[in-house]
Amino acid sequence: MHDHTNQNISNRSLLSFAVKKWLSEYREQDNSILRLCTIVLITVILCLTISSAGIQQRLQQNFDQLLGADLVISHSTPLPEKELIHLRALANETSYAQLVNVTLTNDEHWHAAQIKLVDEHYPLRGSLKVSADIGAAASDKNEPPIADTIWLDSRLYSALQLDTGAVLTIAETKLTVAGVLLHEPDRLLEGHSVAARGLVHMDSPLSQAFTGSPTTHRYSFNLSKNKLNDAITWAEQQLPHADILHSGSGHPLASFWQRTENFLGLVMVVLFFMAAITFHLAGRRQQQKQQYRLTLLFTMGLNNKQVWYMAIFDWMLDLAHSAIVATPLAIVGYILAMQQFDAFMQLNQQYISFPHAALLQSFGLVTVLLFIFQLPAWLNVSNISPSLLLKQGIHSQSSTLSWVFSGLAIALLAAFYSDNPLLTSITLTGLIISVIVMWAATWTVLIATEKLSRSGHGLFVFSIELMRQRLNSKATQIMGLGLCLTLMLFSFGLMKDFSNVLQQYTRSHDGNLLISQASQPQVHHLEQWAQDNHAQVVTMKPYHNAKLIEINGQPFAEAIAHPSEASARLKKPIRLHVTDSLPSNNRVVNGHFWNPESVTSVPANGQYHISVEQEVMTDMGFSIGDELTFLLNEELKTFSITASHVYQGGRGSITFWFQTPTLLNEHLPKSPLYMGSMEIPDGAWATLAHLWKRLPTLRMVTLQELTARFDQTLKLLQSVLSIFSGLILFMSILVMAASVQGHNQSDKAKNGLLLGFGLSKKQCLRLVIYEWLVTALIVGIGSLAGTIAIGHLMYQSQFSMPYQANWLWLTGIIALSTALIVALGAIFNRMSLRISVRELLQESI
Amino acid sequence: MNSFIELQNIAKTYQTQDSQVELFDNINVTIEQGKATAIVGASGAGKSTLLLICAGLEQQSTGNVRYVSKGESRSIVQLKQNSGFIFQQFHLLPELNALQNVALPLKLRGDKHAEKNALCWLENVGLGARAKHKPNQLSGGEQQRVAIARSLSTQPEFIFADEPTGNLDEATAATITDLLFDLIHENQTGLVMVTHNTELALRCDNRLNLKQGSLNNYPVEELAYA
C-alpha cells in the first residue's frame, strides 16, 4: 500500500496548525509568565539601546553646533609664544579666552560663577545671544561686551538681585551689568558644567585682577580644511599636556555617557539573571510539552525537517509577539528619556532622526540572547522519537545544561556592557555570597529540620518534608527571590545612607562650609575672618593641581589598557595632597607610608614617594613600585608608588586619591592650594559676602548648597532606582508565579489527598503558609548576608563611606518582605486549594 | 460494638443552566464496619457522588448521614478522620518515596512512630524492600499496594475505594483484590467500593445497584451472569 502521509501534510497546513496551537495556548499560565518575562527583557534592552543612541546623536549634534571653532586648545597656563606663532601662522582666525571660577557678590547675596574674559575676535563662529534685560527680546551679537561692562547669566541676575545698569564689583574692579547672556556658541566647551557665566572683555581691568589665580587659557582657531589636520597633528606632538578639541575628537560628555550606559548594562545583567531563573522554572515545562506535542506529530507522519519548522516557528511567533508589544513600550520610554535628557542638559535640539539602526541592532542582540536561552529546548527537539511516548519518558534536558546556556547568555551581556571590573566584581561577589548563604541555609534548615523531625509529626513537619523532596526547584525559587530581595535591600539601603551621610555625617565632621580651593594668602584671610566672626576652621589640607602625563615612562593615553572610571577622571588634573603623615581618615592597604624623617631629601633616583588610593590602583592596574609622572606648575615630576591607602570613616570626609610628602613644596615654584572645611555660626553668614567680595576666586560651597545639589541628584537617583526596583519586583513576582505554576498540579493532588485524609481546607492553607514562611525566612537570611557583603565591599571602594548595617531597618524590611512573600505565595497557591476529593476520583488531576 | 454509617433518605440534585437534575432520591442504606459493600451502576448514575456522601466529603441535598462509632454517635468530621481512600489513579505524592507516602497520614495524625509503623504496613503489602522507591520507580500494581497500605495505615473503621483495580491488568488486579480483602478482614475494616468489576463485586458482602436514581440490592446471580 502506498504511504500518502507526508504528501498530506503540507508546510502551509503545518504553519496554520502552529498558529492555531499558539493561539489556543496563549492564555496558559506558563506561556503568560514566559511572555511577560520576554517582553520586559526586550523592552529594557531596546529602550536602553535606542535611548543611548539618541543621546549620542544629540551629543554629536550639540558638538557640531557648539564647538565654536575648528580647533580649540586649552591649558592651565598660557601657551608658549613660539607655539602660538606657529599655530597663528596656520590659522585663518584666532581667538583667546581666559576662564576663572569665582564667587560673585552683591550686598549680602553671593553665587558661584565662571568669568570668561574674551578678546575682540570672540566669537570665531556663530554668534552670542544677549537680551537687554530678563524677559526682553534676544539679539545676536558677534562681538564681546565693551570693556568695563559684563553680560551675566540670567541665574546671576536673580541670585544677586541685579538689574541691567547695576554696578558689580569683582576683585575691587567695578563693572556695569549690560545685558543677559543667553547663549555662547562655544558653550559646549564648558563640558557638563552648569556654572552660571559672566562674559567680560579682555581689555577690562578685571583681566589683571586674577593674576596668580587658577585660570584656564583657551585658544580657538579657524583653519582651512587642508591645514586643520596638520595643526592637530602638530599640536598633539608639541603640546602633549594641553586639551585639544576638534570636530573629530568627539563630545566630552560622550565617554561620560558611555560609562553611565555601562552601569545600566550591569542592571541589565541582573535583570537577565532573574529572567534566567524564570525561564528555568517555567521554560522546562514548556519544553516538555513541546517535545510531547512534536513527538506525537512525528508519529503522525511529520518528517524531521517539518518538526524543526514547527519548533522554530513556535519560537518565532513568541518572539514576534513579544517584540510587537515591547517595541512601542520601548519607544515611549525613549521619548520620555529624551525629553528628560534635553531638559537636564538644557539642550534645544534641531530635528533628530529616530535611531532605527540602534533599534535593529539591539533587537539583533536580544534575539541572540533569547536564542541562547532557547537552545536547550531545541536540543530536546533533536532527540525526539516515538519510543519516548512508549516509555512515557518525555523529559527535558538536564537543568545543568539549561543553566550553562543561561550563564553563557549572561556572560555575553556582561562582557558587552560592563567596563568597570571592580564594580562588576563587587556586585557579582555580593550576589554569589548571597547565593552561597541561601544554598547553605536551604540545606541546613530543610535537612536538619527533616532529620530532627523524623519522629515528629503534624503539618509543619510534612511541609518541611515536602520542601526537602522538592529541594532542587525550591532552591532555584529561593535563589531567585533572594537575589531580588538582596538587590532591593541594597538599593534602598544605599539611597537611605546617602541621604543620612550627606546630611548628618558631613555636618558633624566637616562643618557647614566646604572650601574647595584657597590659595595660601586666602587661607590667612579666612583664618583672620574666622577669628573675627567666631567661626572655626575644621580642616585645611594642602594640595597641588597635577596632571598625570606618564605611567612607567609610557604616555598616559598609551598606558591605559582599558577605559575605567579612574582613567576617565585622570584625563583632567587632580589634587595631589602634600602631607608628611598618614591622614587620620586614611588607612594603608599595601606598601609603606613614609615618615617625615625618611623624606628630608629627594631619593637618589629622583623620584618622590606617592601613595595612591586603592580603587585607583585597581582600576588603573597600578602596583607598588610603579612610576607616575605628573605635570605640576609646568614642571614634570616623577613619583614612585610606595603605598596604597583607603578612606576610613569617622574623622572627616576630605580625602585624596594621591598623596606625597611635603618635600615636594620645596621643589615647586608655587605654594600649594588648600582644601578644607569650616563651622560657621548662624550670625556670621551675612559677613561671608564681604569675604567673597575681597577674595572672589576663593571657592567655597555651603552645606545648604551641597545638600541642594545632592537633593537634585537624589531625586534623579530615586527615579532611576524606582524604575529599577519596579523591574526587580516584577521579575520577583514572575519567579514566584513560575515556581508555583510548576507545582500546581502536584499541589492540587496533594491538597485533594489531604482533604481525603480528613484535613480541612484551612489546614491545607496553613500548609501553604508554612512552606512560604520557611522559604521567606531562608530568603531573608540569604539576602541579609548578601546585602551586608555588598555593603562592606562597595561602600568603601565606590562611595568612600563606612558601611554600618542598620539592623533594625534591615530586620524591619525583611519582616515586611517575609509577610509579602507569604501573602503572595498564598495568593498564587489559591488555585491548588480549589480541589475536592471528587476531582481525584474523576482523574482530572 | 461495631461501627456503622447510616444513610437516611438521602437525595442529591444539582442545578444545570436550564433545569434541576435529580441524581438519586430516597436512599437508605447502612454500611457496617468489617463488611465490604460494592456500589455498581452505569456511568453517570451517581456512584462516585454516593461514595463521597458516605465518606462525608460531599453534602447531600436532603436526608441525613449518621456515623456511629463503638455505639456512640459521632460527627462527620470524625468520620473523615476515621476513614481512608483508595483511588483508581493511586494518587501517590511523586516527591515522596513509598515509605513517606504511607507514613504521611500517620504523621499528620501525630504518630511519633509513623515511619516504623508505615514500614510494617509496607511489609504487609509485600513492599518492604521497596520502601525507599519513589512512585515513578514502581509498577501500577505496586503503586496501588502502596496506596492500600497508606489507606490502612491509620487503621480506619472505613475505607472508600473508587475502582481500585481499574488501572491494572487482570493478574495484578486479582492479586490486589486478594490483598485488599485479606487486609480489611484482618483489620475488621468496612469497605465501600465503586466498581465495574464483577469479580470484585462478587467478593463483597453487599452489592448495591444505583439505577435510575434509586439504590437496590443486586442479587449475586444477576451479577454472575452480567
Side-chain angles (χ1 to χ4, degrees):
Chain A
M1 200 170 124
H2 190 71
D3 183 6
H4 291 279
T5 319
N6 277 339
Q7 286 171 9
N8 291 340
I9 303 174
S10 70
N11 286 342
R12 200 175 161 183
S13 60
L14 211 58
L15 294 185
S16 152
F17 168 75
V19 172
K20 278 181 192 158
K21 189 242 25 146
W22 186 82
L23 287 171
S24 70
E25 290 180 357
Y26 185 82
R27 290 188 184 281
E28 272 188 14
Q29 268 193 315
D30 272 336
N31 279 339
S32 302
I33 291 166
L34 289 172
R35 207 180 307 120
L36 273 174
C37 188
T38 314
I39 289 170
V40 170
L41 289 184
I42 298 180
T43 308
V44 172
I45 287 203
L46 292 192
C47 184
L48 187 66
T49 319
I50 59 174
S51 298
S52 168
I55 287 170
Q56 296 286 9
Q57 229 177 340
R58 277 164 165 74
L59 291 177
Q60 188 55 46
Q61 192 186 75
N62 185 239
F63 185 82
D64 295 341
Q65 286 168 0
L66 299 178
L67 187 60
D70 292 325
L71 174 68
V72 179
I73 298 173
S74 302
H75 199 234
S76 56
T77 57
L79 292 185
E81 197 56 32
K82 191 180 144 203
E83 273 80 10
L84 266 179
I85 290 170
H86 182 85
L87 283 166
R88 281 184 181 135
L90 288 171
N92 301 329
E93 291 171 290
T94 311
S95 168
Y96 170 57
Q98 287 178 13
L99 291 102
V100 192
N101 288 316
V102 298
T103 301
L104 298 181
T105 54
N106 183 40
D107 295 332
E108 287 177 357
H109 307 288
W110 73 78
H111 199 279
Q114 189 179 59
I115 296 291
K116 191 194 272 185
L117 292 147
V118 293
D119 67 8
E120 66 276 16
H121 305 296
Y122 179 85
L124 276 194
R125 186 182 294 165
S127 54
L128 293 152
K129 273 195 197 309
V130 181
S131 70
D133 217 327
I134 298 277
S139 60
D140 290 339
K141 302 270 185 193
N142 292 313
E143 68 279 338
I146 56 169
D148 301 327
T149 66
I150 186 168
W151 290 339
L152 290 174
D153 194 311
S154 57
R155 283 174 290 169
L156 291 172
Y157 264 72
S158 53
L160 300 175
Q161 305 275 298
L162 288 167
D163 292 308
T164 302
V167 174
L168 186 68
T169 308
I170 310 172
E172 294 169 0
T173 306
K174 291 187 187 309
L175 296 169
T176 307
V177 178
V180 185
L181 181 63
L182 299 171
H183 171 74
E184 302 148 88
D186 59 342
R187 160 106 201 210
L188 170 81
L189 293 164
E190 316 327 329
H192 53 282
S193 155
V194 288
R197 257 175 285 282
L199 196 70
V200 181
H201 198 291
M202 191 76 79
D203 291 344
S204 161
L206 187 66
S207 60
Q208 305 305 314
F210 299 130
T211 313
S213 302
T215 306
T216 302
H217 299 263
R218 182 185 291 167
Y219 301 86
S220 306
F221 305 94
N222 271 353
L223 302 106
S224 57
K225 271 189 181 171
N226 54 348
K227 286 185 179 167
L228 179 62
N229 285 340
D230 292 344
I232 294 168
T233 315
W234 185 86
E236 281 173 350
Q237 283 169 355
Q238 300 299 316
L239 305 164
H241 318 319
D243 287 331
I244 300 165
L245 217 58
H246 52 88
S247 48
S249 53
H251 197 290
L253 280 183
S255 61
F256 167 76
W257 170 246
Q258 183 67 45
R259 292 197 305 283
T260 311
E261 197 182 79
N262 290 333
F263 182 75
L264 292 174
L266 191 65
V267 171
M268 285 215 302
V269 171
V270 172
L271 281 181
F272 253 84
F273 197 81
M274 310 298 312
I277 292 171
T278 312
F279 275 103
H280 182 77
L281 289 169
R284 279 163 62 81
R285 290 188 296 277
Q286 287 304 93
Q287 285 174 29
Q288 283 179 3
K289 269 188 185 174
Q290 186 188 50
Q291 201 185 3
Y292 177 74
R293 186 175 51 244
L294 291 175
T295 310
L296 265 181
L297 290 172
F298 192 69
T299 61
M300 291 173 197
L302 253 70
N303 58 37
N304 277 327
K305 215 171 165 184
Q306 287 174 316
V307 167
W308 273 102
Y309 280 158
M310 284 285 288
I312 292 170
F313 189 65
D314 201 27
W315 179 72
M316 284 169 70
L317 277 175
D318 275 333
L319 184 68
H321 172 269
S322 303
I324 288 167
V325 179
T327 309
L329 289 174
I331 291 171
V332 169
Y334 159 81
I335 292 167
L336 293 173
M338 292 306 97
Q339 280 172 354
Q340 290 288 313
F341 182 77
D342 289 347
F344 187 72
M345 296 291 295
Q346 298 169 3
L347 294 180
N348 183 19
Q349 296 292 346
Q350 304 297 314
Y351 175 74
I352 292 208
S353 63
F354 181 79
H356 296 98
L359 185 75
L360 288 173
Q361 193 189 9
S362 52
F363 191 72
L365 173 71
V366 83
T367 307
V368 169
L369 293 171
L370 293 172
F371 181 85
I372 295 172
F373 274 144
Q374 189 64 22
L375 278 175
W378 285 342
L379 282 175
N380 280 341
V381 173
S382 63
N383 291 332
I384 63 162
S385 146
S387 65
L388 293 173
L389 291 180
L390 296 177
K391 290 190 280 183
Q392 295 185 324
I394 300 285
H395 300 296
S396 63
Q397 286 290 328
S398 75
S399 61
T400 317
L401 196 67
S402 157
W403 281 120
V404 166
F405 281 106
S406 302
L408 184 70
I410 292 164
L412 257 178
L413 195 70
F416 193 77
Y417 277 104
S418 176
D419 80 333
N420 186 334
L422 189 67
L423 182 65
T424 311
S425 58
I426 285 172
T427 312
L428 292 180
T429 308
L431 292 179
I432 289 167
I433 288 174
S434 184
V435 166
I436 291 171
V437 171
M438 280 187 283
W439 185 82
T442 308
W443 275 92
T444 313
V445 170
L446 294 187
I447 294 177
T449 321
E450 197 258 346
K451 282 215 189 307
L452 285 173
S453 62
R454 194 165 279 278
S455 55
H457 51 81
L459 279 180
F460 184 72
V461 171
F462 173 58
S463 157
I464 295 283
E465 198 168 323
L466 208 59
M467 281 176 80
R468 178 168 142 38
Q469 300 305 326
R470 293 173 176 179
L471 199 54
N472 189 25
S473 62
K474 202 71 212 170
T476 311
Q477 180 194 62
I478 286 172
M479 301 301 154
L481 290 175
L483 290 178
C484 291
L485 190 60
T486 305
L487 290 166
M488 287 177 80
L489 268 182
F490 179 72
S491 311
F492 287 126
L494 183 64
M495 201 160 70
K496 188 176 145 292
D497 290 346
F498 259 158
S499 162
N500 287 348
V501 163
L502 273 146
Q503 283 165 5
Q504 294 166 17
Y505 180 82
T506 310
R507 180 76 175 80
S508 58
H509 294 280
D510 292 322
N512 50 9
L513 183 79
L514 185 76
I515 300 141
S516 58
Q517 181 183 290
S519 63
Q520 214 153 36
Q522 287 172 337
V523 170
H524 291 313
H525 280 290
L526 259 178
E527 283 168 347
Q528 188 57 52
W529 180 87
Q531 211 174 349
D532 297 346
N533 292 280
H534 309 291
Q536 185 203 348
V537 176
V538 181
T539 49
M540 202 56 80
K541 298 188 176 189
Y543 71 89
H544 292 278
N545 282 320
K547 189 173 180 193
L548 185 59
I549 304 296
E550 286 175 0
I551 300 166
N552 292 326
Q554 222 185 344
F556 174 71
E558 292 171 25
I560 303 170
H562 16 249
S564 66
E565 298 284 336
S567 67
R569 174 65 189 89
L570 286 172
K571 284 178 185 163
K572 301 258 175 209
I574 49 85
R575 291 182 172 101
L576 173 59
H577 179 37
V578 281
T579 177
D580 282 336
S581 55
L582 182 71
S584 56
N585 62 352
N586 279 183
R587 178 169 55 85
V588 173
V589 181
N590 284 314
H592 300 285
F593 206 86
W594 49 90
N595 56 51
E597 292 80 35
S598 66
V599 287
T600 49
S601 60
V602 182
N605 62 2
Q607 294 176 356
Y608 298 83
H609 296 303
I610 196 165
S611 176
V612 182
E613 208 276 333
Q614 186 56 42
E615 193 199 344
V616 179
M617 295 280 284
T618 313
D619 264 12
M620 297 297 294
F622 291 159
S623 312
I624 300 289
D626 278 356
E627 292 171 18
L628 306 178
T629 305
F630 283 94
L631 181 72
L632 291 123
N633 297 326
E634 289 311 292
E635 283 187 31
L636 290 174
K637 300 278 182 199
T638 303
F639 298 79
S640 171
I641 303 177
T642 52
S644 70
H645 61 269
V646 289
Y647 170 79
Q648 60 177 8
R651 295 184 184 91
S653 63
I654 298 171
T655 188
F656 297 85
W657 277 9
F658 296 93
Q659 311 190 68
T660 190
T662 53
L663 176 72
L664 180 71
N665 291 339
E666 296 167 21
H667 298 91
L668 288 175
K670 284 187 183 173
S671 307
L673 296 165
Y674 289 83
M675 187 173 183
S677 58
M678 289 174 80
E679 176 69 33
I680 295 180
D682 288 343
W685 286 105
T687 60
L688 201 60
H690 304 303
L691 183 70
W692 259 319
K693 190 167 278 181
R694 263 204 323 222
L695 310 167
T697 57
L698 178 63
R699 278 153 74 174
M700 302 194 287
V701 57
T702 62
L703 187 70
Q704 286 95 321
E705 280 178 81
L706 260 185
T707 47
R709 281 182 207 176
F710 168 70
D711 284 346
Q712 280 179 338
T713 317
L714 193 68
K715 220 171 150 187
L716 192 75
L717 196 75
Q718 270 171 340
S719 51
V720 171
L721 215 60
S722 306
I723 296 170
F724 175 61
S725 304
L727 284 170
I728 293 282
L729 189 68
F730 187 73
M731 293 306 268
S732 320
I733 292 172
L734 284 186
V735 167
M736 279 185 82
S739 145
V740 170
Q741 178 62 18
H743 292 295
N744 194 32
Q745 289 303 96
S746 62
D747 278 344
K748 264 189 155 183
K750 175 197 74 190
N751 289 331
L753 266 181
L754 294 178
L755 293 174
F757 291 158
L759 261 63
S760 64
K761 285 205 173 180
K762 259 187 187 166
Q763 285 173 306
C764 290
L765 180 66
R766 257 170 57 198
L767 201 63
V768 168
I769 289 171
Y770 288 150
E771 183 183 333
W772 283 107
L773 194 64
V774 174
T775 306
L777 286 174
I778 296 173
V779 163
I781 294 168
S783 48
L784 194 65
T787 306
I788 292 170
I790 300 179
H792 279 295
L793 291 167
M794 202 185 275
Y795 270 47
Q796 197 63 69
S797 68
Q798 301 288 306
F799 314 118
S800 295
M801 288 192 324
Y803 181 74
Q804 281 169 330
N806 183 338
W807 291 100
L808 192 69
W809 185 82
L810 284 171
T811 317
I813 295 279
I814 285 175
L816 194 72
S817 65
T818 303
L820 192 71
I821 289 174
V822 172
L824 276 173
I827 292 169
F828 282 131
N829 273 107
R830 72 192 189 285
M831 284 291 288
S832 70
L833 294 169
R834 287 182 197 151
I835 177 78
S836 64
V837 181
R838 170 184 284 282
E839 285 173 71
L840 293 185
L841 298 182
Q842 289 170 341
E843 306 170 26
S844 59
I845 302 297
Chain B
M1 184 182 267
N2 270 357
S3 304
F4 62 87
I5 302 165
E6 190 178 9
L7 271 61
Q8 300 166 334
N9 298 318
I10 297 291
K12 181 73 180 176
T13 53
Y14 60 92
Q15 191 72 38
T16 65
Q17 217 167 11
D18 322 311
S19 59
Q20 200 174 44
V21 177
E22 188 180 273
L23 204 55
F24 43 77
D25 185 25
N26 199 27
I27 302 279
N28 289 287
V29 68
T30 301
I31 294 154
E32 290 177 61
Q33 189 187 1
K35 290 198 173 172
T37 306
I39 303 173
V40 297
S43 296
K47 302 187 294 293
S48 295
T49 307
L50 186 59
L51 184 80
L52 291 170
I53 290 172
C54 289
L57 289 166
E58 188 152 329
Q59 190 62 41
Q60 63 278 12
S61 304
T62 57
N64 189 33
V65 178
R66 198 161 78 93
Y67 167 49
V68 175
S69 176
K70 296 180 182 74
E72 281 185 45
S73 187
R74 310 267 179 178
S75 70
I76 293 299
V77 174
Q78 283 168 311
L79 168 62
K80 285 185 205 170
Q81 287 165 354
N82 228 345
S83 47
F85 253 93
I86 301 171
F87 303 94
Q88 185 178 352
Q89 297 291 329
F90 328 130
H91 290 306
L92 301 178
L93 291 185
E95 299 92 347
L96 307 183
N97 61 32
L99 182 69
Q100 289 164 330
N101 264 293
V102 177
L104 174 60
L106 294 170
K107 285 193 170 184
L108 289 172
R109 280 167 171 80
D111 185 344
K112 288 188 177 171
H113 308 288
E115 295 210 348
K116 199 174 146 198
N117 291 337
L119 190 62
C120 289
W121 278 103
L122 273 179
E123 280 162 1
N124 283 347
V125 297
L127 286 177
R130 312 207 67 179
K132 297 285 175 191
H133 289 217
K134 292 260 174 104
N136 62 2
Q137 296 168 310
L138 301 172
S139 69
E142 286 169 333
Q143 287 189 50
Q144 193 60 303
R145 281 199 265 169
V146 174
I148 291 170
R150 180 180 64 186
S151 67
L152 286 162
S153 64
T154 54
Q155 292 176 287
E157 290 181 344
F158 295 94
I159 296 269
F160 299 94
D162 178 45
E163 296 282 8
T165 57
N167 255 9
L168 304 172
D169 63 74
E170 211 172 317
T172 312
T175 316
I176 292 291
T177 307
D178 288 343
L179 178 72
L180 182 61
F181 278 89
D182 287 350
L183 288 171
I184 61 157
H185 286 143
E186 205 175 295
N187 292 280
Q188 278 297 294
T189 312
L191 173 69
V192 187
M193 177 169 53
V194 166
T195 185
H196 284 114
N197 185 323
T198 314
E199 300 284 327
L200 202 54
L202 282 170
R203 298 276 298 263
C204 292
D205 303 305
N206 303 310
R207 287 158 293 279
L208 303 168
N209 185 18
L210 189 59
K211 195 176 179 183
Q212 292 170 346
S214 54
L215 194 67
N216 302 299
N217 278 325
Y218 213 67
V220 178
E221 303 74 37
E222 218 171 294
L223 260 177
Y225 299 103

